[in-house]
Amino acid sequence: MAKAAAVADGMVVSVHYTLKTEDGEVIDSSDGDEPLMYLHGAGNIVPGLEKQLAGHAVGDRVKAVVEPEDGYGEHSGDEPQMVPRTSFPEDADLYEGMEVMAQGPDGEMYPMWVVELTDEHVLVDENHPLAGVTLHFDVQVTEIREATKEEMAHGHPHGPGAHAH
Ligand code: ZN
């Protein structure tokens, strides 16, 4: 008899999840939505959650507390910066919490997040909106399957509810 699949590197895992802050405020949830599908070991989800899901089977419910260093990092770097709207493409569909790519002095690209929008300016921060936040996950594993060669090569799952391209 085949052993029941467990969450491990190279497996595509589907989960229902609720993410809360320490105070119980819901930040994100798959409730009423398709489960989240990710490729284990590929950094698709925050490292602290990935670690705590390893070894679990379908049906398992996992309550994982993830410190910032294993989540979205500590708050660091400079204060948020005001950038004129004109430095974004005219048709850019900007919204608060959006990730945008910025270019450093040596041409290297790095992510920043939109904090606030006004008619003329965009306030951007190099910290992820959840930097410095301890994450409280409540996760239920709904499906585990082996990743295809193509998924392994791309570093993400394919199929319904997953990455489309
Ligand atoms: Zn792909």
Side-chain angles (χ1 to χ4, degrees), residues 94-153:
L94 299 169
Y95 56 90
E96 283 169 25
M98 181 184 188
E99 183 176 344
V100 293
M101 293 308 285
Q103 194 163 16
D106 302 320
E108 77 281 11
M109 302 298 286
Y110 60 95
M112 294 193 87
W113 284 270
V114 175
V115 180
E116 212 181 294
L117 292 165
T118 69
D119 287 344
E120 286 176 9
H121 290 96
V122 181
L123 187 65
V124 291
D125 191 354
E126 48 187 272
N127 289 291
H128 186 279
L130 294 175
V133 176
T134 299
L135 309 166
H136 292 248
F137 287 97
D138 188 345
V139 177
Q140 182 134 31
V141 181
T142 61
E143 201 190 326
I144 301 172
R145 65 167 171 84
E146 270 181 55
T148 63
K149 277 200 185 106
E150 192 186 42
E151 288 171 325
M152 289 300 284

Side-chain angles (χ1 to χ4, degrees), residues 13-150:
V13 183
S14 299
V15 294
H16 268 302
Y17 71 97
T18 300
L19 169 59
K20 293 180 182 175
T21 62
E22 211 139 28
D23 303 327
E25 186 198 333
V26 176
I27 301 169
D28 195 11
S29 171
S30 62
D31 204 18
D33 220 336
E34 291 291 309
L36 169 81
M37 200 191 267
Y38 78 95
L39 173 59
H40 196 86
N44 294 171
I45 60 173
V46 294
L49 180 60
E50 197 165 57
K51 250 184 263 170
Q52 293 183 58
L53 286 175
H56 281 284
V58 171
D60 281 4
R61 189 161 171 204
V62 184
K63 292 202 171 207
V65 177
V66 176
E67 299 296 333
E69 71 220 44
D70 283 328
Y72 293 100
E74 299 287 355
H75 235 276
S76 65
D78 299 326
E79 291 295 300
Q81 302 164 35
M82 281 284 205
V83 180
R85 273 222 185 216
T86 49
S87 40
F88 293 90
E90 219 170 299
D91 58 352
D93 196 7
L94 299 169
Y95 56 90
E96 283 169 25
M98 181 184 188
E99 183 176 344
V100 293
M101 293 308 285
Q103 194 163 16
D106 302 320
E108 77 281 11
M109 302 298 286
Y110 60 95
M112 294 193 87
W113 284 270
V114 175
V115 180
E116 212 181 294
L117 292 165
T118 69
D119 287 344
E120 286 176 9
H121 290 96
V122 181
L123 187 65
V124 291
D125 191 354
E126 48 187 272
N127 289 291
H128 186 279
L130 294 175
V133 176
T134 299
L135 309 166
H136 292 248
F137 287 97
D138 188 345
V139 177
Q140 182 134 31
V141 181
T142 61
E143 201 190 326
I144 301 172
R145 65 167 171 84
E146 270 181 55
T148 63
K149 277 200 185 106
E150 192 186 42

Side-chain angles (χ1 to χ4, degrees), residues 154 156 158 163 165:
H154 287 202
H156 55 231
H158 292 159
H163 194 80
H165 53 110

